[in-house]
Amino acid sequence: MSGPDLAASAPAPTTSLLKESRAGGAGSAVALVAGLALDLSLAIFLGAGAETDALFVALRIPLGIAVFFPPTAIQVLVPAISRWVEVDVESANSNTSSILRATFLFSGLVTLIGVLLSHHLVQLLAPGLNDSSLSLAANLSRIAFLTIPAAALSQVFRSYRHARRQHGLASAAQAILSLTIVTFLVVSPGAINVTIVVWAYLVGNVAQLMLTWLLARTQGFRFEWGVKANSEVKGLGVSSLRPLAASAIQLGLRLVEQMVASFLAPGSITILTYANRLIGAVGGTLFFRPIVTAFLVPMSKQHALNGQDEEEKLVRDGVHILVFVSFALTALVAIAGSSFVSGLFSLGDMSRHQAVLLGLIVAAYSASLPSAALQRILLAVSFARLDTRPYLRNTVYGAMANLLLLAVLMMSWEFSNKVLIVPIAYGAAQLVNTWHAYRVTRLQIGVPVINVRRLYRPLAAIAISAAAMILSITFAPEIWSQSPSGLIAQGTSVAFVGLVVLALSSQTLLKGGLRSLVPLDSVVPTESNV
């Protein structure tokens, strides 16, 4: 058995990381639009209340695994598979097949435990729900846990394609999950209920698994039966334990937040879930993950080649790009996005107050975007070296800060909308994560990884854009704030103004415009220049 010729498929030596980031970003944009369509469909059909709270309690662990497993897969599997492919495609296929078998067995065990303990789990995770909601959540969770093996296996196939530097379709593959669920809801006869939704999630995950398998095959992957895991795969399994433990800690934090929300007004769990999904999609899925993934493979190769100077340059370029992108996103989401989200989610069964609260929570979460972006690119240095210890320590420190802040705010909050303590505590804890990630990377690289003077002008351009958006909202027609369509129009127009002003101010303040932030001269090592 032979795979595709590596030299023929390798990118040209001067291939820019900009192109790969764009491809991944475009694919993620497709996934983002599909995810937004799914959330909006659920809000229109179901609104936000006791039944949707039960639905998201049932989906919390399966969806949490689906959210937190991809970073582990990308950060651990992509560098390893890319190195295996560089050496021999057949050995890469053998090792990936071993990973798939281990993933299936582990995810199957988690599924079995979840199905057997579903009633006890929902009681633990949402003690504030009433008996009928707890019973409904337990029944739904038995179905929801069945989605875990398909979701986990899909990430392995996506990682294989990412390792072959084919980021576009690998990132867009997530869209099939959302689109399948939306189609399932639209064509289902009769009234839509939460039971139909959870079955749709199962069908959507199976569809995603089939698509990612086909995408991996187009890059030369062939599953090999009966191959025993070698020392490399076993070593990777040990290295994966720390990221998986970190993912479990992050999932545990979200479960604690859900427990807190279960004691608040009906619909609070649903609103928090939508806000988490929206901010995660805009930041992590659409921008941060594609950019970091594009940098991760060359970082790994430069470390293997002892190319310290080029590795330092990659880290600095990645930091400067993500600082600009994340601060621009924060301004855009906080100022324009809250109106847009409030109007969009007012179109369905969600009440006006709930939709406005959702927009406010999304704006609060947006403050954490710069910290989330920075820690991703900084910790990528450790993952490129297959060193997962800093990631676990980083997660532990952030979790401790998050829990402490959540407890303090719970006891001291004297304002309305107590659910806001969740994004506030989360955002403050992200600063701890970023501080730790910077210290670790500073020690690894040996030189400063942030050139503050290089960021003055980009941040000034963002400040000008933010001011323009604030003025646009101030002088917007008052009638816009009185209807869902008006809020959507307000959010869209303000965002348009912000983006235009950002482009113009960047072109004026930055030599070479936005392209001055992008490492067009970054060289990706290939067979011809290794």
Side-chain angles (χ1 to χ4, degrees), residues 34-94:
L36 181 60
L38 171 59
D39 289 341
L40 188 58
S41 298
L42 292 176
I44 289 174
F45 285 122
L46 301 175
E51 282 199 357
T52 55
D53 282 352
L55 170 66
F56 287 116
V57 167
L59 289 172
R60 179 72 272 181
I61 292 180
L63 283 184
I65 291 173
V67 168
F68 294 123
F69 190 85
T72 301
I74 289 173
Q75 293 161 338
V76 175
L77 294 183
V78 171
I81 295 175
S82 67
R83 293 182 186 182
W84 295 337
V85 168
E86 287 290 325
V87 176
D88 178 37
V89 174
E90 291 187 2
S91 66
N93 286 345
S94 298

Side-chain angles (χ1 to χ4, degrees), residues 273-498:
T273 301
Y274 284 141
N276 258 309
R277 286 157 65 101
L278 287 170
I279 207 69
V282 171
T285 301
L286 182 58
F287 289 102
F288 305 159
R289 191 180 300 165
I291 293 173
V292 172
T293 302
F295 275 84
L296 192 56
V297 175
M299 278 183 185
S300 176
K301 292 179 179 178
Q302 289 295 347
H303 176 68
L305 295 168
N306 293 319
Q308 185 174 355
D309 291 341
E310 190 65 26
E311 185 183 27
E312 292 172 6
K313 183 179 183 302
L314 285 168
V315 176
R316 288 199 196 94
D317 286 334
V319 166
H320 295 147
I321 291 169
L322 281 173
V323 165
F324 179 83
V325 171
S326 61
F327 275 94
L329 272 179
T330 294
L332 192 67
V333 173
I335 300 172
S338 56
S339 298
F340 182 82
V341 169
S342 298
L344 197 61
F345 281 81
S346 295
L347 296 174
D349 287 342
M350 188 178 288
S351 71
R352 175 68 180 272
H353 170 73
Q354 290 174 326
V356 171
L357 180 58
L358 173 60
L360 187 60
I361 294 173
V362 168
Y365 268 123
S366 70
S368 66
L369 288 174
S371 296
L374 279 174
Q375 62 184 274
R376 283 175 184 253
I377 191 65
L378 292 172
L379 290 173
V381 177
S382 299
F383 282 108
R385 302 178 180 199
L386 299 181
D387 182 5
T388 55
R389 291 169 296 181
Y391 180 54
L392 179 57
R393 295 193 189 106
N394 185 270
T395 303
V396 170
Y397 297 149
M400 292 170 61
N402 201 337
L403 289 173
L404 177 61
L405 289 166
L406 197 58
V408 170
L409 289 172
M410 275 287 291
M411 293 184 291
S412 61
W413 189 267
E414 297 179 355
F415 309 99
S416 59
N417 298 326
K418 197 171 186 178
V419 70
L420 283 169
I421 66 174
V422 174
I424 292 173
Y426 173 80
Q430 290 291 298
L431 297 174
V432 176
N433 290 113
T434 304
W435 170 80
H436 172 261
Y438 178 81
R439 283 184 59 105
V440 169
T441 307
R442 177 71 171 79
L443 292 173
Q444 291 171 325
I445 298 297
V447 295
V449 294
I450 299 178
N451 185 344
V452 178
R453 301 178 74 178
R454 183 176 166 187
L455 295 173
Y456 288 156
R457 291 175 181 270
L459 293 178
I462 294 170
I464 294 170
S465 173
M469 288 190 285
I470 292 173
L471 287 174
S472 298
I473 284 186
T474 303
F475 294 103
E478 186 176 348
I479 193 174
W480 277 4
S481 62
Q482 298 175 2
S483 67
S485 59
L487 286 170
I488 294 172
Q490 177 176 292
T492 304
S493 61
V494 170
F496 177 76
V497 169

Side-chain angles (χ1 to χ4, degrees), residues 100-166:
L100 283 166
R101 281 193 296 273
T103 301
F104 176 75
L105 292 174
F106 180 74
S107 61
L109 178 62
V110 173
T111 298
L112 179 61
I113 294 172
V115 170
L116 294 176
L117 300 179
S118 57
H119 182 71
H120 301 288
L121 286 172
V122 297
Q123 286 183 317
L124 177 65
L125 301 179
L129 296 185
N130 58 41
D131 291 341
S132 61
S133 294
L134 285 173
S135 177
L136 176 61
N139 292 331
L140 296 175
S141 67
R142 295 186 183 96
I143 305 169
F145 271 103
L146 299 177
T147 65
I148 292 176
L153 292 171
S154 297
Q155 301 309 323
V156 179
F157 287 126
R158 288 180 62 218
S159 296
Y160 187 91
R161 190 171 176 94
H162 277 304
R164 301 304 302 268
R165 309 184 73 87
Q166 301 297 316

